[in-house]
């Protein structure tokens, strides 16, 4: 499997590691945790099983819930996006 644009190759990432990256990314981008967002593990596992990269999940989740990033963020290596562009 080829790595995704954010550098993640899901061929060997376990759920626990994927969840930890999602949690860290949510905090980095939106200043919330998985628990703050009210997301349960069954919901997360469905996205992990679909092999969704953690950064893509956080981007999708933020867009779905109309969250505002707290500062300029890294979407992909070498690509910074300001909050109003995210």
């Amino acid at each position: 499997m080829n790595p995704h644009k954010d550098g993640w190759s899901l061929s060997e990432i376990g759920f626990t590691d994927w969840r930890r990256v999602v949690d860290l990314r949510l905090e980095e981008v939106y200043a919330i945790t998985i628990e703050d967002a009210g997301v349960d593990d069954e919901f997360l596992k469905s996205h992990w099983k679909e092999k969704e990269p953690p950064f893509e999940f956080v981007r999708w989740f933020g867009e779905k819930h109309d969250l505002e990033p707290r500062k300029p963020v890294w979407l992909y290596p070498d690509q910074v996006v300001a909050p109003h562009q995210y």
Side-chain angles (χ1 to χ4, degrees):
M1 176 182 287
N2 292 333
H4 293 274
K5 290 182 182 178
D6 64 8
W8 287 93
S9 174
L10 297 178
S11 60
E12 296 188 23
I13 186 171
F15 174 71
T16 302
D17 291 334
W18 186 90
R19 185 186 190 283
R20 183 175 28 253
V21 172
V22 167
D23 197 40
L24 292 170
R25 186 65 174 173
L26 278 170
E27 189 169 355
E28 178 184 22
V29 176
Y30 298 112
I32 61 172
T33 64
I34 288 172
E35 287 75 25
D36 294 335
V39 178
D40 65 23
D41 280 351
E42 291 306 311
F43 179 75
L44 292 172
K45 281 181 183 177
S46 68
H47 287 270
W48 170 72
K49 287 177 182 177
E50 293 294 321
K51 301 199 181 297
E52 187 168 357
F55 283 20
E56 285 296 315
F57 172 79
V58 170
R59 184 188 57 77
W60 168 82
F61 187 83
E63 287 176 0
K64 177 180 177 165
H65 295 284
D66 201 27
L67 302 177
E68 288 287 326
R70 65 185 182 133
K71 61 181 180 180
V73 297
W74 291 92
L75 293 180
Y76 304 110
D78 303 322
Q79 181 185 9
V80 177
V81 177
H84 67 280
Q85 296 173 314
Y86 186 71

